[in-house]
Amino acid sequence: MENWLKFLSAGVTSQILETAFQWFVVVDRDAKIIYINDEYCNFLEVCREVAIGKHVADVIENSEMHLVMERGTAEIAAPHYIKGTYMLANRVPIVIDGEIIGAFGSVIFRDMNDWKKLSSHVRKTMDQIETNMNQYRESFYNFADIKGISQSIRKIKESITTIAPTKLPVLIEGEMGTGKEMFAQSIHGLSNRADKYFVKLNCSTIPKELLEEEIFGKWSRNQVVKKGRIQRAEGGTLFIQEINELPITLQAKLLKVLQDQKVQPFGTDEEISVDVRFILSSNVSLAEMVKNKLFREDLFYKIQSITLQIPPLRERIEDLPELIQTFLSKYSVEAGRRGIKIDRKALWNLQQYNWPGNVRELQNVLQAIIHLAEGHQITVDVLPLHIRRQKPTFSKSNGTLEEILFQVERQILHDHLEQEKDKMKIAQKLGISRSTLYEKIKKHNL
């Protein structure tokens, strides 16, 4: 630092000292003022020429600059009572080659009202930052958010832990509302890119004529006009939602990026190297689209090596109790209705419903009925009419044999519990022990 200080002229140094601090003073080893800026002099109602050379205590009331030099320790944001009010000041000894040769002082808050205003502003700012971070955390899913005990969900979770550390592209297929974004974010969160950007792009919500520059960026006259989502995801992950909606003309351009790891923005022939992990989702079968010539075969084969098939909620109905409990806990807190529970009959109706809108529909229904429920109990009468009127159906289309048997067992138990309150009699009718009956009741959350 000493090397470049010599290049600062006296005028520059003076300007820094006059403007860097509102009130600033420097004393020598005898506590005599060798510099004090105009702002401080104006406040003290003293001429600078008069102040220079005087002991600091003779110019600034209650000054402790001389005491700071005696102690050899700095005082930061220390209270200083002057002219009938408390201020906050810094007092710092100047040490050269281990010897204290003077000290400088600066007033950082001219009165406590300034401090209180700033303190209030800082608190509000920190509260806002915390709120924003909470919202971000709530909006970003992680691996622990994947709920379910079904075999299909367990297999998907195993696959995610295996593929997350790689850079390979991942295709996620599933009906609308199955939570494809949650699985994509879980992959990103378990990867070595977790501290980098997770950028999203939904091909179904952006006008087709704007998709190219939105994905690949735009240049004009050899200058960047707009960075595309691929470049914004540099070092991180790009999640392209509903890739099935991407026009054929842009599919070839995306394939080139996946193969070469280079992007060519719209409006230029220049290619830019990128380091991006691609996760893509579709709400329809891309294999079927390839057969119908609606999706490029070469792009499909590039992205389909790792495919996660997210089952619809109706095919993993055994996961419903855990999902309901998770969402009830979350939404009841948000609604200020902690401790709200769902009764057995209402739960049974929810379990019999087909859930065409999948997990997203379940979330919307639970958010609504929490507000409609009276007291702390959700009863069947607050459920939407179409759910109450749903008749239970079991067919081979409802899942694996294990999942169908799970549903049948639940329905049989429910029917018996509705007709008979004595658990011993129910166990006798079903030919099982009472302890086995209780285990099954717990398993089905009845």
Side-chain angles (χ1 to χ4, degrees):
M1 185 173 69
E2 293 175 354
N3 290 332
W4 62 262
L5 279 176
K6 65 183 179 182
F7 294 107
L8 294 179
S9 66
V12 171
T13 304
S14 176
Q15 185 176 346
I16 292 172
L17 294 175
E18 289 294 321
T19 58
F21 304 94
Q22 289 179 321
W23 298 340
F24 186 72
V25 62
V26 182
V27 299
D28 62 16
R29 69 180 72 219
D30 298 319
K32 292 182 178 180
I33 297 174
I34 57 175
Y35 175 84
I36 184 169
N37 64 0
D38 272 341
E39 282 284 333
Y40 211 169
C41 288
N42 291 337
F43 171 73
L44 296 170
E45 298 178 341
V46 62
C47 291
R48 180 158 29 191
E49 292 75 13
V50 174
I52 298 295
K54 285 192 173 183
H55 192 282
V56 66
D58 295 333
V59 178
I60 304 174
E61 63 178 299
N62 299 316
S63 175
E64 295 187 10
M65 296 279 285
H66 53 300
L67 300 179
V68 165
M69 287 191 289
E70 289 177 10
R71 292 191 291 263
T73 55
E75 293 182 351
I76 305 299
H80 184 175
Y81 189 75
I82 183 171
K83 282 198 169 185
T85 186
Y86 275 103
M87 304 176 183
L88 292 181
N90 292 336
R91 308 182 187 103
V92 182
I94 301 172
V95 181
I96 300 295
D97 295 330
E99 181 183 356
I100 296 176
I101 64 166
F104 70 85
S106 61
V107 173
I108 53 177
F109 292 106
R110 291 176 296 183
D111 60 54
M112 295 308 292
N113 287 329
D114 282 351
W115 159 246
K116 289 175 183 176
K117 287 177 184 177
L118 179 64
S119 179
S120 175
H121 174 70
V122 169
R123 285 197 300 270
K124 288 178 181 178
T125 302
M126 293 304 296
D127 287 345
Q128 186 61 52
I129 291 172
E130 182 65 22
T131 299
N132 292 339
M133 288 301 295
N134 286 336
Q135 290 174 348
Y136 173 77
R137 285 191 290 267
E138 289 171 5
S139 65
F140 199 94
Y141 299 100
N142 57 51
F143 190 72
D145 292 315
I146 303 176
K147 305 297 182 182
I149 58 171
S150 62
Q151 185 178 5
S152 56
I153 290 299
R154 290 201 301 268
K155 285 184 176 179
I156 289 172
K157 292 175 78 170
E158 289 173 3
S159 297
I160 287 175
T161 57
T162 302
I163 65 177
T166 74
K167 191 185 176 181
L168 297 172
V170 180
L171 174 62
I172 304 175
E173 290 189 343
E175 295 179 5
M176 294 181 67
T178 49
K180 296 184 287 294
E181 182 176 339
M182 176 179 65
F183 293 96
Q185 290 180 345
S186 297
I187 295 170
H188 174 75
L190 289 180
S191 73
N192 56 7
R193 298 169 178 262
D195 59 340
K196 303 295 184 180
Y197 292 110
F198 179 88
V199 178
K200 298 186 294 183
L201 177 135
N202 193 322
C203 296
S204 65
T205 60
I206 299 173
K208 297 293 187 287
E209 61 272 15
L210 299 179
L211 265 174
E212 182 172 8
E213 63 181 65
E214 193 64 42
I215 298 174
F216 304 100
K218 182 178 180 180
W219 278 33
S220 178
R221 298 177 182 176
N222 292 324
Q223 289 186 334
V224 178
V225 176
K226 180 179 184 179
K227 270 192 176 183
R229 301 289 177 96
I230 294 176
Q231 284 183 272
R232 291 189 216 170
E234 175 63 29
T237 301
L238 176 61
F239 178 41
I240 302 181
Q241 299 167 280
E242 315 309 356
I243 188 69
N244 49 293
E245 297 286 344
L246 187 67
I248 291 283
T249 53
L250 297 184
Q251 290 177 22
K253 195 166 183 178
L254 178 62
L255 174 62
K256 184 170 176 55
V257 176
L258 285 161
Q259 289 176 334
D260 302 338
Q261 286 292 293
K262 291 182 179 180
V263 62
Q264 181 182 334
F266 176 74
T268 182
D269 294 329
E270 185 173 342
E271 291 185 333
I272 302 168
S273 296
V274 290
D275 174 22
V276 177
R277 205 262 180 88
F278 288 86
I279 302 178
L280 313 101
S281 76
S282 174
N283 56 28
V284 297
S285 169
L286 290 187
E288 289 299 318
M289 291 187 69
V290 169
K291 287 181 184 179
N292 296 322
K293 308 297 183 184
L294 298 174
F295 197 86
R296 287 186 64 105
E297 188 174 9
D298 48 5
L299 177 58
F300 173 68
Y301 289 127
K302 180 66 179 177
I303 64 177
Q304 60 84 43
S305 297
I306 300 177
T307 301
L308 300 181
Q309 295 285 351
I310 312 301
L313 185 53
R314 62 183 174 276
E315 292 182 7
R316 58 181 186 107
I317 207 69
E318 64 266 45
D319 294 336
L320 197 64
E322 184 180 2
L323 290 170
I324 290 174
Q325 186 56 50
T326 299
F327 296 141
L328 271 184
S329 299
K330 177 183 176 182
Y331 298 139
S332 60
V333 170
E334 291 178 358
R337 305 196 64 182
R338 295 174 184 270
I340 198 165
K341 296 182 179 179
I342 186 167
D343 73 15
R344 192 172 66 190
K345 192 169 183 180
L347 179 59
W348 171 254
N349 274 265
L350 293 174
Q351 290 171 327
Q352 299 310 305
Y353 183 56
N354 205 36
W355 298 108
N358 294 296
V359 177
R360 185 183 300 150
E361 183 185 7
L362 174 64
Q363 290 176 290
N364 293 335
V365 167
L366 291 175
Q367 278 183 300
I369 63 179
I370 283 174
H371 291 281
L372 295 172
E374 296 182 3
H376 292 284
Q377 192 84 351
I378 294 174
T379 55
V380 70
D381 56 296
V382 300
L383 298 181
L385 188 60
H386 64 281
I387 293 181
R388 281 182 274 162
R389 289 181 174 176
Q390 174 81 3
K391 292 183 179 180
T393 57
F394 302 106
S395 69
K396 62 182 180 181
S397 63
N398 280 11
T400 65
L401 177 61
E402 180 184 357
E403 291 166 342
I404 293 170
L405 291 174
F406 185 91
Q407 295 178 59
V408 173
E409 184 179 67
R410 182 194 292 116
Q411 184 175 1
I412 292 171
L413 289 171
H414 174 268
D415 291 345
H416 278 79
L417 290 168
E418 285 290 302
Q419 299 167 10
E420 178 62 65
K421 302 302 179 186
D422 191 326
K423 303 292 193 306
M424 180 59 79
K425 291 182 179 179
I426 295 175
Q428 290 172 348
K429 287 181 182 180
L430 295 175
I432 57 178
S433 66
R434 187 166 63 174
S435 60
T436 300
L437 175 64
Y438 278 112
E439 287 176 6
K440 292 183 178 296
I441 290 172
K442 183 178 179 181
K443 181 176 83 172
H444 293 288
N445 201 21
L446 294 172

